[in-house]
Amino acid sequence: MSANQKRLVAFVFCVLVSLVLGLVSGLTAAVLGASALASVSAGGGAVVALLGIGVAALALFDFTDTRPSRARSVGR
């Protein structure tokens, strides 16, 4: 798998986790009696914060290419 594909998979996973936790945060605020605007604000803030932290953490890692290198044949 190429380095860019690995980075994309990690980024998609980060986005999905952020969305799920943001939804849970918004629903928790709604269950605890917050207004609709406060619930949406809590969920959106959680998504933005978690996505920012996740992207910053992904930037620290060096993704490498793990595809086997092919030997070039003579005459090509």
Side-chain angles (χ1 to χ4, degrees), residues 33-59:
S35 66
L37 180 62
S39 297
V40 171
S41 296
V47 168
V48 169
L50 290 170
L51 192 57
I53 292 169
V55 169
L58 285 177

Side-chain angles (χ1 to χ4, degrees), residues 2-65:
S2 73
N4 287 334
Q5 288 174 334
K6 288 180 181 180
R7 191 178 310 270
L8 179 65
V9 168
F11 183 71
V12 168
F13 181 74
C14 179
V15 168
L16 291 176
V17 168
S18 297
L19 288 174
V20 168
L21 292 177
L23 180 65
V24 168
S25 175
L27 289 175
T28 302
V31 167
L32 292 176
S35 66
L37 180 62
S39 297
V40 171
S41 296
V47 168
V48 169
L50 290 170
L51 192 57
I53 292 169
V55 169
L58 285 177
L60 297 174
F61 291 99
D62 185 30
F63 293 92
T64 57
D65 193 2

